[in-house]
Amino acid sequence: LAASVHELGARCQRAVLAVFDTASVLDVVEGARGLLAGGTVRALIDCSTGDPAAVQALAGRLLARGVDFIEAPLSGSSQQIAGGEATMLIGAQYDALARHGALLQALSPTRLHVGGAGLGARAKLATNLVLGLNRAALAEGMVFAEGLGIPPATFLALVLATPARSDAALLKGERMVRGDFAPQSRIRQHLKD
């Protein structure tokens, strides 16, 4: 355990971040008492979903200091992430991936390298758009079907048995049928992403 981010940066050669936004990443990494101020960190794996241009600029500054930067946002629900089932969308240089492959494997067995730094965030933003639209389309379809006299459970079974099937239907459909709308994540996070 470390008492501060600065102390952690003085003890560890590699750090994995999972913070809310790019401003938090920059503060934790480059702040006056951040990881880099400790002088030991040689690799940073950032699992946050951030601003692509800012992440790309950070990667350039870190490279100039001899620090590997691997952008690694996770695509999946909170439950999938907790269960180690999320997909990691990687933006990094190939040599950094080779040096830190075992750590990346421990974080997520499913990884897709999409290019250099900044492209991981761009990929995450694009997949989040599709995910959000899938959920919205399923909800709209359920309301429409119910208005046509098709019970929600029957409609969900139809969706799951046709080309309209999606992971959104598999993961959220049953909850929609039950009318279970208890929060599973924060709306501010969805808006940020």
Side-chain angles (χ1 to χ4, degrees):
L1 297 176
S4 68
V5 174
H6 179 267
E7 185 180 326
L8 191 64
R11 289 191 198 174
C12 299
Q13 291 189 355
R14 299 188 296 183
V16 178
L17 294 182
V19 297
F20 184 71
D21 58 16
T22 305
S24 300
V25 170
L26 296 176
D27 185 45
V28 167
V29 175
E30 297 179 310
R33 301 287 295 161
L35 288 170
L36 292 181
T40 301
V41 173
R42 289 290 153 248
L44 180 66
I45 298 171
D46 180 17
C47 297
S48 312
T49 301
D51 173 277
V55 167
Q56 191 172 6
L58 173 62
R61 292 190 303 273
L62 292 173
L63 181 62
R65 293 179 72 150
V67 177
D68 288 337
F69 179 76
I70 299 173
E71 175 193 23
L74 296 167
S75 180
S77 67
S78 299
Q79 294 78 17
Q80 288 172 310
I81 291 171
E85 301 165 356
T87 299
M88 184 178 280
L89 306 173
I90 298 175
Q93 296 181 338
Y94 283 107
D95 55 339
L97 292 178
R99 284 190 289 275
H100 307 288
L103 179 54
L104 294 170
Q105 175 66 29
L107 294 171
S108 176
T110 307
R111 297 174 312 282
L112 299 170
H113 183 226
V114 293
L119 286 173
R122 287 177 176 94
K124 175 78 183 282
L125 294 172
T127 59
N128 279 0
L129 173 66
V130 173
L131 176 62
L133 290 174
N134 278 335
R135 289 175 181 171
L138 176 63
E140 290 291 335
M142 276 201 182
V143 170
F144 182 62
E146 192 170 23
L148 297 173
I150 302 168
T154 301
F155 178 70
L156 179 60
L158 292 169
V159 166
L160 295 176
T162 68
R165 177 187 184 96
S166 69
D167 280 354
L170 285 169
L171 295 171
K172 302 296 182 184
E174 203 48 55
R175 294 185 73 231
M176 289 181 187
V177 167
R178 290 192 315 268
D180 176 3
F181 302 111
Q184 291 189 312
S185 62
R186 297 174 197 90
I187 193 68
R188 70 183 179 110
Q189 185 167 350
H190 188 70
L191 289 172
K192 171 190 72 81
D193 293 353

